[in-house]
Amino acid sequence: MAEAQSAARRAVAEREDVARHYRKVRQATEALCEPLATEDYGLQTMPDVSPVKWHIAHTSWFFETFILLPNLRTYPVFDPAFDHLFNSYYLTHGTPFLRAQRGFLSRPTVARVQDYRRAVDDAMLALIAHADSTTWRRVEPLLELGLNHEQQHQELILTDLKHAFAHNPLWPAYRSDLRSPPLRDAPPQGWCELADGLIECGHAGPGFAYDNEQPRHRVWLGACAIAQRPVTNAEYLEFIDDGGYREPRWWLSEGWSTLLDEGWRSPLYWQRRDDEWWQFTLGGMRPLDPAAPVCHVSHFEADAFAAWAGQRLPREAEWEACAQQVGADPRAAGTNLRDADHLQPVAAAAVGAPNQLFGDVWEWTASPYIAYPGFRRPDGPVGEYNGKFMSGQLVLRGGSCATPADHIRASYRNFFHPGDRWQFSGIRLAEDR
Amino acid sequence: MAEAQSAARRAVAEREDVARHYRKVRQATEALCEPLATEDYGLQTMPDVSPVKWHIAHTSWFFETFILLPNLRTYPVFDPAFDHLFNSYYLTHGTPFLRAQRGFLSRPTVARVQDYRRAVDDAMLALIAHADSTTWRRVEPLLELGLNHEQQHQELILTDLKHAFAHNPLWPAYRSDLRSPPLRDAPPQGWCELADGLIECGHAGPGFAYDNEQPRHRVWLGACAIAQRPVTNAEYLEFIDDGGYREPRWWLSEGWSTLLDEGWRSPLYWQRRDDEWWQFTLGGMRPLDPAAPVCHVSHFEADAFAAWAGQRLPREAEWEACAQQVGADPRAAGTNLRDADHLQPVAAAAVGAPNQLFGDVWEWTASPYIAYPGFRRPDGPVGEYNGKFMSGQLVLRGGSCATPADHIRASYRNFFHPGDRWQFSGIRLAEDR
Amino acid sequence: MAEAQSAARRAVAEREDVARHYRKVRQATEALCEPLATEDYGLQTMPDVSPVKWHIAHTSWFFETFILLPNLRTYPVFDPAFDHLFNSYYLTHGTPFLRAQRGFLSRPTVARVQDYRRAVDDAMLALIAHADSTTWRRVEPLLELGLNHEQQHQELILTDLKHAFAHNPLWPAYRSDLRSPPLRDAPPQGWCELADGLIECGHAGPGFAYDNEQPRHRVWLGACAIAQRPVTNAEYLEFIDDGGYREPRWWLSEGWSTLLDEGWRSPLYWQRRDDEWWQFTLGGMRPLDPAAPVCHVSHFEADAFAAWAGQRLPREAEWEACAQQVGADPRAAGTNLRDADHLQPVAAAAVGAPNQLFGDVWEWTASPYIAYPGFRRPDGPVGEYNGKFMSGQLVLRGGSCATPADHIRASYRNFFHPGDRWQFSGIRLAEDR
Amino acid sequence: MAEAQSAARRAVAEREDVARHYRKVRQATEALCEPLATEDYGLQTMPDVSPVKWHIAHTSWFFETFILLPNLRTYPVFDPAFDHLFNSYYLTHGTPFLRAQRGFLSRPTVARVQDYRRAVDDAMLALIAHADSTTWRRVEPLLELGLNHEQQHQELILTDLKHAFAHNPLWPAYRSDLRSPPLRDAPPQGWCELADGLIECGHAGPGFAYDNEQPRHRVWLGACAIAQRPVTNAEYLEFIDDGGYREPRWWLSEGWSTLLDEGWRSPLYWQRRDDEWWQFTLGGMRPLDPAAPVCHVSHFEADAFAAWAGQRLPREAEWEACAQQVGADPRAAGTNLRDADHLQPVAAAAVGAPNQLFGDVWEWTASPYIAYPGFRRPDGPVGEYNGKFMSGQLVLRGGSCATPADHIRASYRNFFHPGDRWQFSGIRLAEDR
């Protein structure tokens, strides 16, 4: 009986932990909104960019739709119209509102969406506290997914706002209080050597991971070397100054035609003023730091740079093997993830051990984003979360200066189209041995 | 000396009249904004639509740029960045910000644009009060142009908001206090007969008119008849029900291909729900009133309807001759211009004399918008106001339920592209005699 | 009885005249094809351009469809599939094959289309010879229309081939035997003065004219002057050298945006080589003749040039009044219509009387192409011939170096979109008096 | 000395073998052209499709540019203009003529391109016969590449003609003498089991292979099974009849949006007539054979079918391991490669051993087309041959009914975009064990 009581107490304590974590993640989203004017919440500067208001509503819709409605009988739908408006892409659930028109929704207002968040939070916290154990077994994995989903949208809020503000000739700073990061020299480049052999890749064991990181599986790797730090702005400028954007031979065929169509001559957000390069940041327009990792490059640019440098991009399994080998840890001191609050890449501090695998910039790999051997899409609408995007995109690894520190891990697979540049994406080189 | 004093007093009184008028027009713009949430100010649902915030800033920019800066030496530019942001299309003045991206400007905020308006108003009122007579002679015609320009944008604020709200599945009402207009039968159709002969067309004499209404000139007209009221929704429904949108023979070739490209099956803002037609209005979604003039049709639809009806659209000179002949007056009681505050077309009340020439709907004519004989573009940037648009558009006459009553006159020429439907545009028929 | 015989003889002679004319027009089409390689017959370089093979089949389809099938009971359809393939735009007759894909039809082969022409010709000549008088009354106007239609396509064969060959870097000459026209100075510009007054405009009386030239009707014209010859290449070069293509103030708004979209910097088919201007002609690449009329300009360019020159384009009624006043005659010696076999504009020979109203270049007017007062579309599919295109185009007058001399007249209204440049289109100036 | 003589004789014999092979491959191209009318040589129905005339010129340009000009001093360029016209995509060599406009080139005529081929052949045969041994060492690998390149274009001639003829409502048969293949039941589906383990993948050793098949390298494969024959039309019809084209859950996200954009409802070239399915073939329109492999499906359709079937597409290494394990041989009797002269997929004859790995249809794999570990692009323009296309495409294996039998091998990697359907592409299923 004492045992039963103590089990019950453990269960209660566990639920309280979950509730605390839930609140923390949700509040982090709201904290990101604090610097915004009401007018900023509605901006959509391209179909890939969603308004902040939509992000904060959609993440609530996720909890409401996939957790509250199936599991909390007393939950009254906050507004039946929201199911259409804030469904992102779950076609087996319903018909989402047109993505490219999310910016057309001045209503619901910001205030009403905040009410929506509060209503969902109240219900979620009630469910967390009081769900019976059968329900809880169903709810818990979805809750974990929902919070990770929310963190992904936290990063998107930052990247989407950066894109939106960059289209305003006033160059508004998202955070006027954001200080410029320390200027220092980049450490000299070095290599992390990987011997050939069978490695294991992907997630297994405890802890959360997305379906697309699973199952853990064997991969044969040839011997290779992975650069100890990302390519810097100074190194990338050499490529530009050597005519890199005018020379088709460095480029993939589709990269070259994209360059011509888009008129690319430098990474996104760079601007040349009187012979000086500047870059637009979440703190406003700033001089380019030559020692910081180059950022906002497409896969095409990363690949062309590597070709010009006589090297190549790492495969994702190589990247993961490297991270395993050096014991890379996203929580290590000095890691420039979002919690460091720079919100832009910063020059590496240390020399020696592989550095900046986590944080600063998402690192384009040479690997198309496809299913791991043995992957199966989950049943139900949540099966659309990752699997249906396994076409035409490439894997990026390691998180960026906009990624929450407790959201990233060595097996994490991010993915974007090869021409995408609005994420904090950069370059790490590799070569065969 | 008494004479001089009395002249001075007259001059002062005249300036006070102007100031009063200036304040009234500017306040009318602000009154239109009262029902808006901050989020509504930034909506842009197509390149032709501008955000309300942009309208209220641009009209101030017009006064600042063309009047204050050249004429009030003490005027400090409110914000040098605004010249780029709020220039609409004056290429001889500078490089306007991209029209299609006006919705990307969350900054300046609404509050700051309101400050801008106030600063411009203060300076304008000071200039009106204190300009010496030489300056005044330069300023006065531009001021009159600026106020008429502001009134045009007042109408656009309404049409653009209607377009924007119509893209939101919540169907927000711009004015939830707007009552549905009275239901009554449409009077039977009749004809206003015009004999053949030389008429005079265009503006001459005192009173403001745009350059494009001038010079007054002679036109030979053949005998014809002009319908006594616009085509009603019920009449237009007969066209739809007779397969009008499926039958190419009624349509101009470019009309038919536009219909196919856009998937037109009814006027804009119509919606069929369970065998009933509804229409979206500035007061929200409402049942279609069969007796009210059909609205939000393109020139292509107006022309096809006329062909189906065995008639034609009037030429603009015929319309103007008709208005002259019947002594049409926009200030006549019962005229449904904006001041009537219906903000949607309403069934005609009276029988007999030609009706609704002013108000309810802009009436598509058969006349392409081109220069009158003897027209010359004014010098300077203001020369871009009208003349450069004389290509590819058609003239509409008579004003609509969104047009200020003191803004419209018989010689007024509005113009839109033949596929445009977001203005309050309707159909009046004509036939040869 | 002798009278009846003589009437019969006259009828036979009349039919023989018609047959002779029919043969002559049809053979003229075939003569245009003589310089072609089989491969040239299939070229389609933009949707507006049709392959020569399509032109020669479509003109036969016109006779087959609108004359033979309804009037010659014994006529066996040559190939039932052709009705779909060679219908241009008669939606009330059937579903035309996609215009932009006419170049995809390698079959029927050229030889088979030539067989089709012969079969249609045989049947047509039989019908002309033997139709009873009731049938003949029905057939005759359609036959006249069909032959004029064929002549229009003869001109299109030349303009379309020029466009097609201009897209081949080999710059093939359509006619390698075509000699360069005589070089001579352009006569000085002069003016033809027109007093104000009521004029009559449009076709009436005997002789063929299209429906769109009718009815003849009165127009009031203000006093004006029409230039005595078209603008020359040398004059147009001054506009270019004065920065005309870089200065928005001369351009209509849609003209300027078209210029930017298309990258226009000179008329179509001009090419700069080592500081010399060349132009592509049907005789191959040739040095630009400064004295010849400028050609292959859009309405936008014509209008911009006129604005730069401080003048304007003539209205179509002014052009027609001028042609009437000076007694312009397309058959006058030295007129550069197709029969002169230059196939490019040539410098005017004479000074004094208005010149080159016919031939050399189609002259853009300021007049949008709309219905004349009293115009009614004919019944049946032929009603689609002209009327449905009365939207978005402008009238050109006078014929070009590619127009058959017996096809043009003072009332003739050609029409193209304001951005079109592949016709032999040029500029004649006008000004108010 | 006898030895030297015998070596010399061997060298001569070897050259004669090469010459014989050269002639054979070149003549095979010309044989493909025999059924064509002159008009057929110029068809280009989409940018991916090239006119036959362009194919036969380009393959000659390849020999002229990469072999004759650098190695045969006496070779006179046939026509200097051809270097621009017939360069496909070698940007490091020069500026290719616009791909989408290849159909605009009526000149050079077919006859002249045939002369070009003869001139190149004469020079090539002279070079083959007389090149000194140093030159020969340089020439030989390029010659082998050139002949393989020519064979690729032979297949494209067939696929491109099929696309072109399918756009003609006359449905012309490329080969009217082509008999329908034998009708027979498809063998029941079975599985080829592959155990897990390290395999070797890619080409090594003697015999030609493209750079992209190299280097041979190790891959770890999990246990899986590969279907014994491709999916049949009957099986694919079940997917269609089960609503496969209306159900987003089977589709990749980009597949679903492509389906909506393109209006896909069946494989390319299928047509429903009175409840019967027909398919367009190189022998004209024929009833669909239910037992034949489904063909002309995109990767998106192949992937959706596999998802619906509860299976997946094979990875390319699995396909290659399977081919190795069963000893698949493209020269085995009954293999339906081009030499079988069916030119359409045919139902499998045999039961049991894995079948149709070679021939019938190219089989979409799940593998994006990327570089093998250790791959390096060759130096010089030939380095553009394969490497620059390693982005956004997927690997297909096994050759089709249009592939020359001596052109295909187990390591051969073909690649197309996931939405491409105009190749003879089909589906083989796989599943994990």
Side-chain angles (χ1 to χ4, degrees), chain A residues 261-280:
Chain A
D261 288 351
E262 305 289 329
W264 288 348
R265 302 180 174 218
S266 69
L268 185 63
Y269 304 138
W270 284 33
Q271 212 180 51
R272 198 155 177 85
R273 297 180 174 173
D274 306 328
D275 283 354
E276 292 292 318
W277 283 104
W278 291 65
Q279 60 180 335
F280 182 66

Side-chain angles (χ1 to χ4, degrees), chain A residues 91-92 198 218 220 248-249 252-254 256 300 310 315 368 370 373-374 376-377 388-391 417 432, chain D residues 91-92 198 218 220 248-249 252-254 256 300 310 315 368 370 373-374 376-377 388-389 391 417 432:
Chain A
L91 299 173
T92 58
L198 267 181
R218 275 177 276 188
W220 176 268
R249 72 184 161 132
L252 288 163
S253 182
E254 296 187 347
W256 184 246
F300 294 134
R315 291 175 199 94
I370 55 172
R376 297 226 129 211
R377 285 200 207 177
K388 73 179 183 182
F389 301 111
M390 291 173 170
S391 172
H417 288 94
D432 293 319
Chain D
L91 299 173
T92 59
L198 266 182
R218 273 176 278 187
W220 175 268
R249 70 184 162 135
L252 288 163
S253 182
E254 296 188 346
W256 183 248
F300 293 135
R315 292 176 197 92
I370 55 171
R376 297 225 131 215
R377 287 200 206 175
K388 73 179 183 182
F389 301 111
S391 172
H417 288 94
D432 293 319

Side-chain angles (χ1 to χ4, degrees), chain B residues 133-146:
Chain B
S133 60
T134 315
T135 302
W136 186 243
R137 268 194 298 279
R138 244 183 2 247
V139 164
E140 200 184 13
L142 286 166
L143 179 59
E144 202 164 26
L145 180 62

Side-chain angles (χ1 to χ4, degrees), chain B residues 289-326:
Chain B
D289 175 1
V294 66
C295 190
H296 297 297
V297 291
S298 62
H299 174 82
F300 293 134
E301 286 160 302
D303 185 85
F305 177 87
W308 171 82
Q311 284 149 350
R312 62 170 175 84
L313 301 179
R315 291 176 200 93
E316 62 169 325
E318 292 168 343
W319 193 99
E320 195 167 333
C322 177
Q324 288 169 19
Q325 179 169 312
V326 305

Side-chain angles (χ1 to χ4, degrees), chain B residues 264-346:
Chain B
W264 288 348
R265 301 179 175 218
S266 70
L268 186 62
Y269 303 138
W270 284 32
Q271 214 180 49
R272 199 156 177 82
R273 296 181 174 173
D274 305 330
D275 282 354
E276 292 292 317
W277 282 105
W278 291 65
Q279 59 181 335
F280 183 66
T281 75
L282 288 168
M285 195 59 87
R286 291 177 174 175
L288 193 71
D289 175 1
V294 66
C295 190
H296 297 297
V297 291
S298 62
H299 174 82
F300 293 134
E301 286 160 302
D303 185 85
F305 177 87
W308 171 82
Q311 284 149 350
R312 62 170 175 84
L313 301 179
R315 291 176 200 93
E316 62 169 325
E318 292 168 343
W319 193 99
E320 195 167 333
C322 177
Q324 288 169 19
Q325 179 169 312
V326 305
D329 179 1
R331 284 167 192 80
T335 305
N336 182 18
L337 288 151
R338 191 190 71 203
D339 310 61
D341 202 34
H342 291 305
L343 304 188
Q344 73 178 77
V346 177

Side-chain angles (χ1 to χ4, degrees), chain D residues 91-148:
Chain D
L91 299 173
T92 59
H93 171 77
T95 309
F97 183 70
L98 283 174
R99 179 178 193 135
Q101 301 195 355
R102 288 172 184 166
F104 294 178
L105 303 172
S106 64
R107 317 288 180 91
T109 60
V110 172
R112 181 143 170 87
V113 167
Q114 285 164 342
D115 290 346
Y116 180 38
R117 283 185 74 83
R118 271 187 293 273
V120 166
D121 283 351
D122 291 348
M124 281 299 297
L125 290 168
L127 180 67
I128 292 167
H130 306 304
D132 61 61
S133 61
T134 315
T135 304
W136 186 242
R137 266 193 300 280
R138 246 186 356 250
V139 164
E140 201 184 14
L142 286 166
L143 178 59
E144 202 163 27
L145 180 63
L147 290 172
N148 276 277

Side-chain angles (χ1 to χ4, degrees), chain A residues 293-426:
Chain A
V294 65
C295 191
H296 297 297
V297 291
S298 62
H299 174 83
F300 294 134
E301 286 161 301
D303 185 86
F305 177 87
W308 170 82
Q311 283 147 351
R312 62 171 174 84
L313 300 179
R315 291 175 199 94
E316 62 169 326
E318 293 168 344
W319 193 99
E320 196 167 330
C322 177
Q324 289 169 20
Q325 179 171 313
V326 304
D329 179 2
R331 284 167 193 78
T335 304
N336 183 16
L337 287 151
R338 191 190 73 202
D339 311 61
D341 202 33
H342 290 304
L343 304 188
Q344 72 177 79
V346 177
V351 185
N355 228 314
Q356 297 174 299
L357 279 163
F358 291 108
D360 289 299
V361 288
W362 285 102
E363 298 170 13
W364 285 108
T365 70
S367 299
Y369 173 55
I370 55 172
Y372 279 166
F375 170 78
R376 297 226 129 211
R377 285 200 207 177
D379 290 330
V382 167
E384 294 186 63
Y385 197 93
N386 272 315
K388 73 179 183 182
F389 301 111
M390 291 173 170
S391 172
Q393 311 205 43
L394 289 123
V395 172
L396 301 98
R397 293 294 192 122
S400 79
C401 55
T403 309
D406 58 350
H407 183 68
I408 192 71
R409 59 199 156 265
S411 62
Y412 196 106
R413 307 172 81 197
N414 205 350
F415 48 92
F416 286 97
H417 288 94
D420 290 341
R421 315 207 296 174
W422 95 111
Q423 295 300 307
F424 289 90
S425 49

Side-chain angles (χ1 to χ4, degrees), chain A residues 104-417:
Chain A
F104 294 179
L105 303 171
S106 64
R107 317 288 178 92
T109 60
V110 172
R112 179 143 171 86
V113 167
Q114 286 163 341
D115 290 346
Y116 181 38
R117 284 185 74 83
R118 269 188 294 272
V120 166
D121 283 351
D122 290 348
M124 282 298 298
L125 291 168
L127 180 68
I128 293 168
H130 306 304
D132 61 60
S133 60
T134 314
T135 303
W136 186 242
R137 267 194 299 279
R138 242 179 9 245
V139 164
E140 201 184 12
L142 286 165
L143 178 60
E144 201 163 27
L145 180 62
L147 291 172
N148 277 277
H149 171 255
E150 178 114 9
Q151 289 184 311
Q152 284 188 280
H153 281 276
Q154 288 169 7
E155 177 153 359
L156 290 173
I157 284 172
L158 292 173
T159 57
D160 291 2
L161 275 171
K162 186 168 181 178
H163 194 267
F165 284 166
H167 278 77
N168 190 327
L170 303 177
W171 310 112
Y174 158 66
R175 286 263 307 277
S176 52
D177 64 323
L178 203 65
R179 274 177 305 185
S180 283
L183 288 179
R184 54 191 173 214
D185 291 342
Q189 188 58 287
W191 297 96
C192 168
E193 303 290 334
L194 298 182
D196 66 355
L198 267 181
I199 62 135
E200 299 243 314
C201 181
H203 177 84
F208 176 81
Y210 288 113
D211 55 1
N212 65 9
E213 302 168 52
Q214 308 178 51
R216 190 161 174 88
H217 60 285
R218 275 177 276 188
V219 178
W220 176 268
L221 289 187
C224 67
I226 308 290
Q228 284 186 337
R229 58 158 176 76
V231 170
T232 63
N233 285 322
E235 287 160 350
Y236 199 83
L237 270 168
E238 284 180 56
F239 170 63
I240 295 179
D241 292 342
D242 193 39
Y245 281 81
R246 295 190 306 271
E247 183 54 77
R249 72 184 161 132
W250 307 124
W251 295 77
L252 288 163
S253 182
E254 296 187 347
W256 184 246
S257 59
T258 305
L259 173 156
L260 293 177
D261 288 351
E262 305 289 329
W264 288 348
R265 302 180 174 218
S266 69
L268 185 63
Y269 304 138
W270 284 33
Q271 212 180 51
R272 198 155 177 85
R273 297 180 174 173
D274 306 328
D275 283 354
E276 292 292 318
W277 283 104
W278 291 65
Q279 60 180 335
F280 182 66
T281 74
L282 287 168
M285 196 59 89
R286 292 177 171 172
L288 192 72
D289 175 1
V294 65
C295 191
H296 297 297
V297 291
S298 62
H299 174 83
F300 294 134
E301 286 161 301
D303 185 86
F305 177 87
W308 170 82
Q311 283 147 351
R312 62 171 174 84
L313 300 179
R315 291 175 199 94
E316 62 169 326
E318 293 168 344
W319 193 99
E320 196 167 330
C322 177
Q324 289 169 20
Q325 179 171 313
V326 304
D329 179 2
R331 284 167 193 78
T335 304
N336 183 16
L337 287 151
R338 191 190 73 202
D339 311 61
D341 202 33
H342 290 304
L343 304 188
Q344 72 177 79
V346 177
V351 185
N355 228 314
Q356 297 174 299
L357 279 163
F358 291 108
D360 289 299
V361 288
W362 285 102
E363 298 170 13
W364 285 108
T365 70
S367 299
Y369 173 55
I370 55 172
Y372 279 166
F375 170 78
R376 297 226 129 211
R377 285 200 207 177
D379 290 330
V382 167
E384 294 186 63
Y385 197 93
N386 272 315
K388 73 179 183 182
F389 301 111
M390 291 173 170
S391 172
Q393 311 205 43
L394 289 123
V395 172
L396 301 98
R397 293 294 192 122
S400 79
C401 55
T403 309
D406 58 350
H407 183 68
I408 192 71
R409 59 199 156 265
S411 62
Y412 196 106
R413 307 172 81 197
N414 205 350
F415 48 92
F416 286 97
H417 288 94

